[in-house]
Amino acid sequence: PEPCPHYIFFQSEEVPDGATQYKCAPPIRNKENKEALLRQLKRGTINTIGSDHSPSPPDLKFLKEGDFLRAWGGIAGLQYSLPASWTAASEHGATIEDMAEWWSSAPAAVAGLTDRGSIEVGKKADLVVWNEKALAETGKGQLFHKHKLSPYNDRKMKGRVEASIVSGHLVFSKGQLSQDVCGRIVRT
């Protein structure tokens, strides 16, 4: 199993009635389920976290109607993945080393990508520079994806990403995206 940040950050008891921006599949579960996922991550029974970024045009969320049955089933949250998972997991004793395992080493191993997943000579320089104590900026104006509706908007989360490096290219720094296109589809 692979939990996503929204499954360890949110809990169903806190989802407001009709707030379809929280709709995803499977749905957000209760606090007990969230706590169980966090325990399994910490024990190593679960060893990866996946982003599951699934944004949609706001009209497909039927927010005005609050219609969960008709609403698109996905959460926009890629850029909040690290802050959301760090906020939830650090409150349960997770360390920065745990985060590196869940977000980098273990996923690379699962996908058979031996050229990445750790900081070593000869491996791809795919890195994130972040401040685990600083608050993430979560307002709609800070979102980089097209559709700005997200249950993470205006949430208090720890762990601000300062820079992102892909294959040695600086692609994000000081709140700005680079025009340097350097990513590629990875097939295993």
Side-chain angles (χ1 to χ4, degrees):
E2 172 190 72
C4 302
H6 43 277
Y7 295 124
I8 60 174
F9 185 80
F10 298 117
Q11 56 197 43
S12 59
E13 298 91 338
E14 296 174 349
V15 174
D17 288 344
T20 57
Q21 67 267 36
Y22 291 85
K23 183 180 178 183
C24 55
I28 303 295
R29 304 289 185 194
N30 62 21
K31 181 179 180 178
E32 183 179 327
N33 188 271
K34 174 180 114 171
E35 301 288 329
L37 286 173
L38 286 161
R39 281 192 305 276
Q40 296 308 313
L41 273 166
K42 193 65 183 135
R43 285 184 191 141
T45 308
I46 299 172
N47 65 350
T48 65
I49 301 175
S51 66
D52 191 36
H53 179 62
S54 183
S56 75
D59 334 357
L60 295 181
K61 282 295 201 175
F62 295 94
L63 198 57
K64 287 182 183 174
E65 298 88 344
D67 189 340
F68 271 88
L69 293 177
R70 291 175 54 205
W72 174 277
I75 288 182
L78 182 61
Q79 79 186 64
Y80 298 137
S81 296
L82 188 58
S85 55
W86 174 244
T87 299
S90 65
E91 292 171 0
H92 288 78
T95 64
I96 292 171
E97 292 79 11
D98 291 329
M99 294 292 286
E101 173 71 19
W102 301 334
W103 280 105
S104 188
S105 304
V110 168
L113 300 172
T114 58
D115 64 341
R116 61 197 78 205
S118 61
I119 301 173
E120 294 178 47
V121 173
K123 291 203 175 190
K124 297 276 185 190
D126 293 343
L127 306 167
V128 173
V129 178
W130 68 298
N131 181 336
E132 80 277 7
K133 294 178 183 165
L135 292 179
E137 297 173 1
T138 62
K140 285 183 183 180
Q142 277 71 44
L143 286 175
F144 290 101
H145 45 82
K146 181 178 179 179
H147 302 298
K148 309 295 186 195
L149 181 62
S150 172
Y152 293 111
N153 290 348
D154 301 318
R155 292 286 186 146
K156 185 177 178 181
M157 292 186 278
K158 297 184 302 184
R160 184 176 60 230
V161 173
E162 303 289 354
S164 296
I165 301 163
V166 176
S167 296
H169 300 268
L170 184 65
V171 296
F172 174 81
S173 180
K174 298 178 184 167
Q176 299 296 314
L177 291 172
S178 165
Q179 298 304 311
D180 189 9
V181 179
C182 57
R184 66 180 177 83
I185 296 174
V186 177
R187 300 193 195 290
T188 58

